Amino acid sequence: MLEIIKQPWPWYIAGPLVGLTVPALLIIGNKSFGISASLRHTCAMCLPANIAFFKYDWKKEIWNMFFVLGILIGGVIAYSFLSNPDPISINANLKTELATYGVTNISGMLPEQLFSWENLFTLKGFFMMVIGGFFIGFGSRYAGGCTSGHAISGLSNLQLPSLIATCCFFVGGLIMANLILPFILSL
């Protein structure tokens, strides 16, 4: 059984399991699936500042904090006990292209030559982690939710704003991966 859990699951099993979280949350607690709202709840809990955006009854949304905590704990358990020791398998052409940018150690999910404390203090690392993190946070707030909230929950509820946001996420991802990322990696 443990070997089955350790292997990547096919899309026709993993997809419906993720998709079933939306109706389960709606049926069990009349809640919407999304992760980015937890940052707002955390700020409302921890910042007693007089900011209108954080003045609401965050205790009604405490379930979301437990949900995020469960994701964190699940990630730690999966990493600690279910990690695949085999190297990450990527396309040879991608490996060659990454090598031209100085990324040669692709032994983990996050290449250390891009995502490390040492790299944070370089121009490339600053763009990748600080500026990129800001844009992800800003984009999630501006779009009224993150990719998981819009693409999984919003689309299943047939919400037009979620369809527009999801299309923009994909277009932005294509532009980033094909135009902006090569420039940043060449810094």
Side-chain angles (χ1 to χ4, degrees), residues 36-59 141:
S36 61
S38 62
L39 179 59
R40 180 181 184 205
H41 305 323
T42 303
C43 291
M45 269 191 281
C46 300
L47 298 174
N50 196 15
I51 301 172
F53 185 68
F54 298 131
K55 284 185 164 184
Y56 66 97
D57 188 11
W58 57 266
K59 292 176 185 171
R141 183 66 218 132

Side-chain angles (χ1 to χ4, degrees), residues 77-129:
I77 290 170
Y79 178 78
S80 300
F81 302 109
L82 304 174
S83 291
N84 186 347
D86 299 333
I88 302 297
S89 175
I90 64 170
N91 185 294
N93 293 336
L94 177 59
K95 194 178 276 191
T96 303
E97 182 180 351
L98 287 173
T100 63
Y101 297 117
V103 181
T104 54
N105 181 6
I106 310 171
S107 59
M109 293 298 286
L110 299 172
E112 288 184 21
Q113 291 148 329
L114 296 177
F115 302 100
S116 65
W117 286 109
E118 295 81 28
N119 193 45
L120 177 63
F121 299 107
T122 65
L123 187 60
K124 182 190 320 183
F126 183 78
F127 271 105
M128 293 285 290
M129 291 183 267

